[in-house]
Amino acid sequence: MTHNSVEEGLARARELIRPHRRFVILEHEKPDGDCVGSSLAMALALDKWGKQALIVSDDPHPVIYDFLPGQEHFTRTGYLDLADFDADVAIFLDCGEPERCGRALPFAQKAKYWMNIDHHVSNTKFGDAVLVDPSAAATGEILWSMFRELELEIDVGIATCLYVAVLTDTGSFRYENTTPRVLRMAAHLIEKGARPQEISELVYEAKPLSSVMLLGEALKTLEIHDGGRIACVSVTREMMRKVAATSEDTEGIITYPRSIQGVVVAVQFREADEGVHVSFRTRRAVDASRIAEMFGGGGHPRAAGALIKGKTLPEVRTLVLEELHKFLERDSDPVIKA
Ligand code: 5GP
Ligand code: MN
């Protein structure tokens, strides 16, 4: 994002926030830590400015984030009557395009203005105030800059939400998006009261038993392809039923195939209601978002996904492995090809 567009986006955001009172916050489907932390921080900030803030999501928040403040602002689409709904401004968080908020979109369409705050490189720059910065590690990082520009006093609640946003989207400050700015932000949030040890324990070490049981089932399906460059796992409905897993229990499974020495692309196939969801995690110079785009999806350079409809999981696996093999031969650097 150029300096100009930062200033322009911020100026527009200021213009939209100041005179308006009723805000609706939209998250993407299956909200993750960045999404949940960002939307709660945004709602708490609007609260401090004396505004009404409602987060509307089609999916629930993963239970591991229940400890975060601001949940009283959260509601699900099924609990709201669209006919009676009204808002001045809709704020899309972490959504590359409006459709990413799924069945919550009609609620945004009732708002007069749209604000688009996101860090996806594929963001379509929709809306009336556009704060899109692909160099930000998390949407929460953009909010942190915005709050400081708007001279918001960051309290312990907002600090905790933003810390979760940046902690989860940087893989606990391990991924290549862990910049000096990210660590400065984390330091500032800790000064404002965020507690790193407690937060890490709540996010990473308070998992439901079913999620660890599901990991066990998924790892039994581990396959290695392409001379060790590709590792994949599958999660079927039958496995989920066997261990009474919820959809959020699939979170993090893909980090295991990705952690194997020599693997440059990890893939997870998951049977979903609407088709087979495929997740990609990559290493080195392999662009995961380009891989996901081949299947109609998108995402970030090292983490992306796509939903493939009308095929069974084994059919999707065959198709994706074939295309991935060709992709690695065609597009990756000589080190990866070797
Ligand atoms: P995950 O693999 O954890 O579901 O998603 C990783 C990233 O890929 C997400 O942050 C999101 O940006 C992107 N992503 C996942 N699924 C889809 C999808 O079906 N469509 C698009 N456009 N992006 C996706
Ligand atoms: Mn994000």
Side-chain angles (χ1 to χ4, degrees), residues 32 100 120 251 277 279 281 297-300 303-307:
D32 58 4
R100 283 285 285 147
H120 288 87
E251 207 61 38
H277 188 268
S279 294
R281 298 292 184 272
H300 302 286
L307 182 70

Side-chain angles (χ1 to χ4, degrees), residues 68-328:
L68 289 176
Q71 309 277 357
E72 65 280 9
H73 295 278
F74 177 78
T75 189
R76 291 184 60 193
T77 46
Y79 298 88
L80 270 182
D81 189 351
L82 184 62
D84 294 338
F85 186 80
D86 213 357
D88 301 316
V89 182
I91 305 179
F92 289 81
L93 295 175
D94 212 33
C95 294
E97 52 189 6
E99 291 70 27
R100 283 285 285 147
C101 75
R103 278 186 290 219
L105 186 57
F107 293 91
Q109 284 162 337
K110 291 279 208 76
K112 292 185 206 73
Y113 301 99
W114 281 9
M115 236 160 105
N116 168 8
I117 307 178
D118 182 33
H119 67 132
H120 288 87
V121 68
S122 55
N123 189 289
T124 56
K125 313 275 172 77
F126 63 91
D128 305 288
V130 181
L131 278 138
V132 175
D133 184 359
S135 79
T139 294
E141 184 181 332
I142 305 172
L143 287 187
W144 176 69
S145 308
M146 180 176 123
F147 291 163
R148 295 202 315 164
E149 285 292 327
L150 301 181
E151 289 169 8
L152 177 84
E153 174 58 34
I154 294 184
D155 61 21
V156 57
I158 294 175
T160 304
C161 292
L162 292 181
Y163 189 90
V164 164
V166 77
L167 174 77
T168 52
D169 257 21
T170 58
S172 306
F173 309 110
R174 287 178 302 131
Y175 302 154
E176 61 199 272
N177 57 4
T178 308
T179 59
R181 190 170 58 178
V182 160
L183 294 178
R184 282 194 196 99
M185 167 181 170
H188 180 238
L189 297 175
I190 294 168
E191 281 164 1
K192 294 292 174 188
R195 297 158 81 106
Q197 185 274 330
E198 272 175 35
I199 294 173
S200 294
E201 195 167 309
L202 287 161
V203 172
Y204 297 114
E205 290 167 23
K207 291 186 177 128
L209 174 62
S210 54
S211 79
V212 180
M213 305 273 286
L214 186 65
L215 171 65
E217 294 297 317
L219 288 180
K220 288 183 206 158
T221 71
L222 178 69
E223 290 173 30
I224 304 293
H225 295 275
D226 262 51
R229 296 182 299 175
I230 301 172
C232 65
V233 288
S234 302
V235 177
T236 63
R237 262 189 223 97
E238 172 55 24
M239 287 177 198
M240 307 259 306
R241 195 198 51 74
K242 186 175 164 192
V243 301
T246 63
S247 77
E248 65 196 70
D249 289 337
T250 58
E251 207 61 38
I253 291 176
I254 195 167
T255 60
Y256 289 85
R258 202 241 331 255
S259 69
I260 299 165
Q261 186 178 40
V263 166
V264 291
V265 185
V267 192
Q268 175 187 285
F269 303 100
R270 174 175 57 83
E271 285 177 346
D273 290 343
E274 327 75 45
V276 177
H277 188 268
V278 191
S279 294
F280 300 98
R281 298 292 184 272
T282 60
R283 274 206 274 199
R284 291 199 262 176
V286 184
D287 188 339
S289 67
R290 276 182 56 209
I291 296 172
E293 279 164 16
M294 299 194 299
F295 306 102
H300 302 286
R302 302 290 171 262
L307 182 70
I308 301 179
K309 295 180 181 170
K311 287 189 164 54
T312 64
L313 190 150
E315 286 166 353
V316 168
R317 186 174 56 214
T318 304
L319 169 79
V320 168
L321 288 172
E322 267 174 26
E323 291 303 317
L324 255 183
H325 172 75
K326 286 190 246 166
F327 178 87
L328 287 180

